[in-house]
Amino acid sequence: MAALISNPRFSIVEIFESLQGEGFNTGMPAIFVRFGKCNLTCPWCDTNYNTFEQWTLNGILAKVQSYSAKNVIITGGEPTIQPNLSLLLDELKKQGYFLAIETNGLKEIPAQIDYIATSPKRMYQEKYQRRCINFAN
């Protein structure tokens, strides 16, 4: 039987509060939780997803709670490849946060997510598998 992970660690690039700058929710106050690592290596990516720190679940929750917004945008890198992501999302839902995700769409979206913003990469999955897949993740 696997041990229960009470305070798992996550690869975090940054956590900050701002306004959503694009898409349907433009202008919405939000807390961005930007994860490190990605399952793609797209040459146009504007996130340095390989530069991150290890944050504990409790550390992330404390940082998120320090802001006033009640909307959390899970982004990256690619958030769906994060181990134990559901544990973080469960805790955020318990605290009443609206959860959005920005994803490349190649992996399953966690059930706790309220709003999905996906890039069109899934439509071109075969191309990405040939050119951009990062097999290390």
Side-chain angles (χ1 to χ4, degrees):
M1 183 171 169
L4 179 63
I5 301 172
S6 62
N7 197 16
R9 299 179 82 74
F10 297 88
S11 301
I12 300 292
V13 172
E14 60 185 338
I15 300 174
F16 62 96
E17 186 175 36
S18 187
L19 298 177
Q20 174 57 279
E22 55 192 34
F24 182 78
N25 293 319
T26 297
M28 175 182 74
I31 302 158
F32 290 79
V33 177
R34 186 177 310 280
F35 287 94
K37 300 185 180 180
C38 190
N39 56 338
L40 298 178
T41 55
C42 304
W44 59 83
C45 185
D46 63 356
T47 298
N48 189 357
Y49 55 79
N50 285 321
T51 301
F52 54 84
E53 296 178 356
Q54 293 296 309
W55 285 54
T56 64
L57 172 63
N58 292 339
I60 295 169
L61 294 172
K63 183 70 170 180
V64 167
Q65 292 166 353
S66 74
Y67 297 119
S68 60
K70 291 304 280 182
N71 305 299
V72 175
I73 299 174
I74 305 296
T75 187
E78 177 51 44
T80 61
I81 66 169
Q82 300 300 316
N84 302 307
L85 181 62
S86 286
L87 295 175
L88 172 61
L89 299 178
D90 285 344
E91 290 301 316
L92 292 169
K93 289 305 279 184
K94 285 180 195 174
Q95 296 176 20
Y97 287 98
F98 176 88
L99 300 179
I101 193 168
E102 295 178 344
T103 177
N104 62 32
L106 298 180
K107 299 282 186 180
E108 186 174 337
I109 304 301
Q112 303 92 325
I113 297 297
D114 300 303
Y115 180 83
I116 302 166
T118 188
S119 72
K121 292 179 180 92
R122 185 170 185 81
M123 294 179 352
Y124 305 102
Q125 186 170 4
E126 184 177 308
K127 177 181 176 181
Y128 286 97
Q129 288 173 340
R130 288 194 315 262
R131 296 188 182 170
C132 297
I133 295 293
N134 181 348
F135 292 103
N137 293 311

